[in-house]
Amino acid sequence: MGCCSAKANAQGTYDPSPFTRLVGTSSSTKYVQQTYEQTYSGQKRILVVCTDEGEMKMTNGKTFNTGNHPVEMLVPMLHFRDAGFSFDIATANGGPVVLEMWAYPNKDANVASIHDEVRAMMEKPKKLDEIPDLDSYTAIFIPGGHGCMLNLPQSVALGKLLNQAHERSMPTVTLCHGPSVFLSTCVDGTGQSECAYKGYKSMCFTDKTDAFTPSVGYLPGPMPWKVQESIVAKGVIVINEKETGAVTYDRELITGDSPDAGHNLGVLAAPMLVKYALENNL
């Protein structure tokens, strides 16, 4: 078992096994700075919606030490910054952003740079229900990591903002387990009974892979609920069958399948965000 078993940490939660950290994380990323024909020079920002919870209780009672995956958050943000954008960061409760630090690429100077730039916002983010509308924003970005499943899919405040973005055709960017937040668009209190992304094509970390990973110790036990199954039940069309770093877009929705999609997602999304902002005089 050893190297292929999730490991209890000092806090009593479980980190991924040494084996899965060896093959599934890296000290650097695939980020390469892009050259853009047009960049954004306005004052409106990208709203980055993160998790402020990091403990996921699995069906066997063990607790996974999770949060937002740092590569999924910070690599797309590097591309958005390169395209001229700045950020606001928000969480459900206004608590500090929780990262999966066991996945942090600690030899990547570019990631360290953007992290330092937004660190103060991550430590004292806005509270979602204190953001009344999207008038100050050009796009919404919701990074993945299992932690985004904890309190964002049931957030009425997030659901209302995503519905506003949908109505405005405002770019909405997410990856991996981030599509779990699609469920928020039709929770009680949003005024909507149908998911905003019904009929949309999307990438998503697959339930099949989530079911496999406890056997190699990435997760300490079976998932408490299934993202892919849940969003498909709401009418979302998940087009990937495995994780390859793939990305796609459908109307305003821009998605990636896994942490490995972080760079590809930024490359795809950044010029689309610039185009939307310029065409709408933002």
Side-chain angles (χ1 to χ4, degrees):
M1 296 293 289
C3 70
C4 292
S5 298
K7 297 297 182 182
N9 56 38
Q11 289 72 44
T13 62
Y14 284 79
D15 296 334
S17 66
F19 171 74
T20 54
R21 290 174 67 178
L22 178 66
V23 300
T25 65
S26 175
S27 61
S28 61
T29 71
K30 296 181 177 180
Y31 167 76
V32 176
Q33 186 171 1
Q34 306 296 296
T35 300
Y36 300 104
E37 292 183 4
Q38 291 180 300
T39 57
Y40 180 68
S41 58
Q43 299 302 309
K44 296 185 186 292
R45 299 173 295 281
I46 295 173
L47 178 61
V48 183
V49 180
C50 298
T51 185
D52 52 7
E53 292 190 11
E55 296 188 356
M56 172 178 276
K57 189 172 183 179
M58 316 310 284
T59 60
N60 63 358
K62 293 181 178 179
T63 300
F64 181 43
N65 175 27
T66 184
N68 285 123
H69 195 291
V71 173
E72 295 178 32
M73 178 179 179
L74 297 170
V75 170
M77 290 177 72
L78 279 166
H79 289 288
F80 301 153
R81 182 193 67 180
D82 294 343
F85 292 101
S86 56
F87 309 99
D88 274 348
I89 295 177
T91 60
N93 302 305
V97 176
V98 179
L99 289 181
E100 295 175 329
M101 290 305 294
W102 44 261
Y104 198 87
N106 53 25
K107 293 184 180 179
D108 194 304
N110 292 303
V111 167
S113 171
I114 188 71
H115 193 186
D116 285 342
E117 287 182 26
V118 300
R119 189 182 303 273
M121 284 189 284
M122 292 175 65
E123 292 173 351
K124 293 185 177 180
K126 294 178 178 290
K127 188 178 179 183
L128 277 173
D129 64 11
E130 294 175 352
I131 302 173
D133 55 52
L134 295 172
D135 292 351
S136 298
Y137 301 104
T138 60
I140 297 181
F141 171 47
I142 305 168
H146 287 81
C148 68
M149 298 171 58
L150 296 175
N151 62 11
L152 294 177
Q154 62 269 35
S155 169
V156 174
L158 177 57
K160 289 180 176 179
L161 291 173
L162 287 174
N163 284 324
Q164 284 185 39
H166 176 64
E167 291 165 5
R168 300 181 188 193
S169 298
M170 177 181 284
T172 302
V173 186
T174 190
L175 71 166
C176 201
H177 292 86
S180 63
V181 304
F182 299 166
L183 301 174
S184 71
T185 63
C186 52
V187 296
D188 289 344
T190 60
Q192 301 295 325
S193 59
E194 187 172 275
C195 178
Y197 306 105
K198 181 180 180 180
Y200 278 62
K201 294 178 181 178
S202 176
M203 295 288 178
C204 177
F205 198 84
T206 60
D207 292 343
K208 177 177 67 176
T209 303
D210 265 335
F212 166 76
T213 57
S215 68
V216 290
Y218 185 86
L219 297 175
M223 292 282 287
W225 59 279
K226 299 176 181 178
V227 173
Q228 181 182 0
E229 178 181 88
S230 297
I231 64 174
V232 167
K234 295 295 185 181
V236 178
I237 303 165
V238 174
I239 62 173
N240 59 300
E241 296 182 353
K242 57 184 179 180
E243 293 73 37
T244 63
V247 296
T248 194
Y249 71 93
D250 187 348
R251 289 157 278 186
E252 79 275 13
L253 188 63
I254 309 166
T255 56
D257 66 12
S258 63
D260 205 37
H263 170 68
N264 297 334
L265 187 68
V267 170
L268 174 66
M272 296 177 70
L273 271 58
V274 172
K275 183 174 185 288
Y276 174 84
L278 296 180
E279 287 181 348
N280 288 275
N281 298 311
L282 298 177

